[in-house]
């Protein structure tokens, strides 16, 4: 069984910082892409916040570029999302996603369980 396990998140004041962590667990050979989507209150769709590919190249939603930084640590199949200068509009449930190659062969797209980020004074 393979899965993504998320941690981090919580309540922070505007201008504050949080770090999200995502660990890909199970019989994984490699991680292709990994990153986060988010779903804001009242929105039915998720938007891509940040993604980092197998070459280490990041991509960001325009509204978070310069404030958020994504990194990956291949040795322990982990990705981190450092979120600085948080704004109330960053409030959402953040979902880790990844495309992985399995030890047994084949690829699978995974989603984490989601973690709440609330930015409020």
């Amino acid at each position: 069984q393979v899965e993504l396990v998320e941690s981090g998140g919580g309540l922070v004041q505007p201008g504050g910082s949080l770090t999200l962590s995502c660990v890909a667990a199970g019989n994984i050979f490699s991680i292709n892409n990994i990153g986060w989507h988010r779903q804001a209150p009242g929105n039915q769709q998720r938007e891509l916040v940040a993604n980092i590919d197998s070459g280490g190249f990041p991509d960001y939603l325009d509204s978070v570029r310069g404030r958020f930084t994504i990194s990956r640590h291949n040795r322990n199949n982990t990705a981190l999302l450092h979120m600085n200068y948080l704004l109330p509009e960053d409030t959402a449930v953040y979902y880790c996603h990844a495309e992985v190659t399995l030890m047994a062969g084949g690829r699978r797209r995974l989603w984490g369980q989601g973690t709440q980020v609330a930015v409020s004074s």
Side-chain angles (χ1 to χ4, degrees):
Q1 182 178 356
V2 294
E3 62 179 345
L4 299 179
V5 180
E6 299 186 58
S7 62
L11 174 63
V12 66
Q13 292 186 340
S17 299
L18 285 172
T19 297
L20 305 183
S21 173
C22 180
V23 179
N27 293 325
I28 294 170
F29 177 75
S30 65
I31 298 175
N32 305 316
N33 297 293
I34 189 167
W36 277 265
H37 282 72
R38 68 185 181 188
Q39 186 168 2
N43 287 357
Q44 292 187 342
Q45 291 190 341
R46 299 178 184 179
E47 61 180 356
L48 177 63
V49 177
N51 184 75
I52 187 166
D53 66 14
S54 57
F57 293 100
D59 189 25
Y60 299 98
L61 180 69
D62 284 346
S63 63
V64 309
R65 188 173 288 112
R67 299 189 295 121
F68 291 12
T69 302
I70 189 171
S71 62
R72 60 185 288 167
H73 307 275
N74 294 330
R75 190 167 185 174
N76 53 8
N77 286 341
T78 299
L80 299 175
L81 184 66
H82 300 284
M83 304 184 294
N84 297 316
Y85 306 106
L86 283 160
L87 303 170
E89 48 264 45
D90 294 318
T91 295
V93 178
Y94 284 68
Y95 295 91
C96 181
H97 70 266
E99 184 188 78
V100 302
T101 298
L102 304 176
M103 288 285 193
R107 292 188 174 190
R108 188 170 298 176
R109 187 164 180 85
L110 305 173
W111 288 93
Q113 78 276 15
T115 186
Q116 178 71 53
V117 171
V119 185
S120 175
S121 56

